[in-house]
Amino acid sequence: VENASSIHIDNYNHDEGEPSDWNQGYGYQMWRCRYGRFRGDGMFGQYCVLDREKDMVVVCNAGCNDIAKELNWIHEYLFDAADMEEGTEEEKQELQSLLRDLAYPVPQGKGERAVNGLLTFRYEEGEINLAFAQQDADSDIVLTTEIIALPGETAKLDIVFGQGEFRTIRWGKTPFAPNGMEVMGAYGWQDGKLCMVARTKEGPYSMDNVFRFEEDGVYVDGCSVGIPFVGENLKLEGSI
């Protein structure tokens, strides 16, 4: 462990800014961190962070686009918590109540029309095509996502969204899931906006998109991991 977690490759890059977890050095499949810690990490914030002095390990299964912020929280809130005094009974009960009430509500609200058609988002590396198919205003929405990344790499995925409740389908082999995975989708309408969420059961991929219908076109606000989109006020070509 000592050898694997020691610095064998220097990635300091003469950075004169604040100390960072990204320039502490690399060992054998282990990255050095601040505070003398070291970690293994993967896509979207999958972390195993070790602190030998505290005899403590933090493991995270996450779906996060800002993995640096996540690692900062691990340092600030989880490792520092090891040095805190034990909470009072009142504080413990308050925490238990908070944990019991944690929930991720699915979108609610019925629309006045069905959504059918094609939306396209073009970006520097390629384009994303979203094909919507819905029989009527109350039925499921089938969304076919085609991601075309230059030079010519394409991934095509279907997601079924239930109105106010999750629908589940299973993807076959994908570039990020060689054995396939199940994906759940749900939608609802709020103040004339189409809200769509999707979650995978076997990975950290997610989608939280709000489609807004303005006079000059369709816009989307997205906070997603592995499924488009990420960003705010993104204008799309086409109509639904």
Side-chain angles (χ1 to χ4, degrees):
V1 174
E2 184 70 33
N3 193 19
S5 62
S6 297
I7 299 175
H8 295 284
I9 298 177
D10 181 8
N11 65 344
Y12 180 64
N13 295 326
H14 304 287
D15 187 355
E16 300 299 332
E18 293 293 325
S20 165
D21 287 302
W22 314 106
N23 60 10
Q24 301 298 309
Y26 187 60
Y28 296 145
Q29 302 295 315
M30 289 287 181
W31 296 94
R32 296 291 305 179
C33 301
R34 292 171 293 160
Y35 314 111
R37 296 163 188 155
F38 58 95
R39 73 183 188 275
D41 61 29
M43 291 178 64
F44 306 122
Q46 317 303 309
Y47 282 124
C48 177
V49 189
L50 298 91
D51 188 320
R52 301 187 72 181
E53 183 177 335
K54 293 182 182 292
D55 193 26
M56 182 174 175
V57 180
V58 174
V59 179
C60 296
N61 178 20
C64 178
N65 289 307
D66 192 343
I67 62 176
K69 180 183 289 186
E70 178 192 353
L71 191 52
N72 288 338
W73 288 346
I74 291 172
H75 289 312
E76 182 178 354
Y77 295 108
L78 298 183
F79 281 109
D80 285 357
D83 300 321
M84 294 173 59
E85 295 183 359
E86 184 177 356
T88 65
E89 286 302 318
E90 182 179 354
E91 290 171 334
K92 292 178 182 179
Q93 291 177 9
E94 183 179 353
L95 175 60
Q96 290 299 322
S97 177
L98 175 64
L99 295 175
R100 282 195 302 268
D101 292 338
L102 288 177
Y104 186 84
V106 300
Q108 301 292 325
K110 295 185 177 182
E112 298 180 355
R113 62 179 180 86
V115 289
N116 292 283
L118 179 67
L119 297 174
T120 298
F121 176 67
R122 303 184 194 277
Y123 58 108
E124 185 175 349
E125 292 80 14
E127 66 183 51
I128 300 170
N129 295 312
L130 303 174
F132 292 76
Q134 186 179 26
Q135 185 174 357
D136 56 55
D138 295 322
S139 61
D140 295 348
I141 296 176
V142 179
L143 175 64
T144 300
T145 302
E146 182 183 47
I147 304 173
I148 303 174
L150 301 178
E153 298 179 359
T154 302
K156 197 169 186 177
L157 302 168
D158 289 331
I159 308 176
V160 178
F161 296 81
Q163 186 183 82
E165 59 184 5
F166 281 118
R167 297 282 186 267
T168 302
I169 64 170
R170 185 165 188 85
W171 285 340
K173 181 179 178 181
T174 70
F176 47 82
N179 298 319
M181 64 171 59
E182 289 189 344
V183 59
M184 308 180 299
Y187 78 93
W189 288 85
Q190 299 174 7
D191 299 323
K193 303 172 185 177
L194 176 59
C195 307
M196 305 181 75
V197 302
R199 296 286 180 269
T200 56
K201 294 182 178 181
E202 300 150 87
Y205 307 104
S206 65
M207 165 182 159
D208 291 82
N209 289 341
V210 178
F211 294 87
R212 296 182 287 108
F213 303 91
E214 308 290 350
E215 290 184 0
D216 61 340
V218 181
Y219 291 80
V220 63
D221 301 322
C223 178
S224 306
V225 178
I227 308 173
F229 295 89
V230 178
E232 295 183 356
N233 205 39
L234 304 176
K235 188 174 182 180
L236 308 176
E237 299 176 14
S239 61
I240 55 174

